[in-house]
Amino acid sequence: MAAANMKAVKLRIKSVQNTMQITKAMQLVAASKLRKAKEKADLSKPYFTIMRETLVDIAKGNTDFQSPYTKQVDNDKWLYVVIAGDRGLAGGYNANLFKFMDSETKGRDYMVLPIGKKSVEYFRHRGVELITEEYAEVAKISVSDCFGIARMICDAYSKGKFGHVLLCYTDFVSMMTQTPRSSSLLPLSDFADEMKKPEDTDKAVRDLILYEPDSETVFNAIVPEYLAGLLYTSINVSVASELAARRTAMEAATDNASEMIEKLSLFYNRARQASITQEITEIVAGAEGN
């Protein structure tokens, strides 16, 4: 009986060791990819910043036009662009985002543009209307895909299919902290507010900038570019967040496996010592009987 228990423990130790090798490898891979993803996210931010500054500059310097992207529309339909992961084994990365989404969408009539396999699976399972499933793999989304998504959103918004567009993603705060966040995409109420502000001392400088054919056309043409930049930056940040969460989860799994191996090894050694002691006792007892 003791021998059978020892064999089972030994097999258990071997199984945990194999699992630890996998989690350790996944931890190293995630850490390696994380550095590249973080660099990519940092490099994508200047484009978004410049596009936003250009929009603000046009909004401040021109008060004689009303862009369809800045005015409020009488439509209570919401579109949520939800960026989740392609795989699991990332701790609470996906679960936290979907929990955040449940609170955001409570009581609202909405549809979803899912980005990432987990996002598609989650909202399809809940029976939510999906505007498209074309972008089911977040790891394969390129800059051109982001421009395509932005143009599709702007076209549907201008046709009145929905009145509000909200982006939900996971922000990379630190290696240990990733927080679900939301950001309003349309309407651009912040730029509408900028246009209502009184002119300042820099107006003379801004008046030197001429837009062809006119500032309103340029503004409306830049909006999809701005949204594409915001989407691309958010996707890169979300990928970095997922990798950081996976690295942390796999590190914890590796530590737990190591601790489990120590406990199982201690149990195995004690059982082995008890077995040896029992055998010695039986031999001594047999010798004394003779």
Side-chain angles (χ1 to χ4, degrees), residues 48 52 55 68-72 78-83 113 115 146 149-154 157 162-169 182-191 219 223-234:
F48 159 72
R52 190 181 192 285
L55 285 176
Y69 299 120
T70 59
K71 62 182 180 181
Q72 297 287 341
W78 289 73
L79 172 66
Y80 286 88
V81 183
V82 185
I83 305 173
L113 196 163
I115 299 178
C146 292
I149 295 172
R151 285 191 290 268
M152 178 175 60
I153 291 174
C154 290
Y157 180 82
F162 38 79
H164 307 272
V165 183
L166 203 68
L167 173 65
C168 292
Y169 67 103
S182 62
S183 176
S184 178
L185 297 183
L186 293 174
L188 298 171
S189 56
D190 52 348
F191 296 118
F219 185 92
V223 169
E225 310 289 322
Y226 164 74
L227 296 184
L230 181 56
L231 278 169
Y232 185 65
T233 301
S234 301

Side-chain angles (χ1 to χ4, degrees), residues 240-260:
S241 298
E242 181 184 6
L243 291 170
R246 181 168 292 112
R247 188 200 68 82
T248 301
M250 292 301 100
E251 183 180 15
T254 302
D255 293 342
N256 291 337
S258 179
E259 182 180 348
M260 186 178 295

Side-chain angles (χ1 to χ4, degrees), residues 207-228:
D207 284 344
L208 297 177
I209 302 176
L210 299 177
Y211 300 96
E212 292 292 342
D214 55 72
S215 57
E216 180 179 355
T217 302
V218 174
F219 185 92
N220 292 337
I222 290 178
V223 169
E225 310 289 322
Y226 164 74
L227 296 184

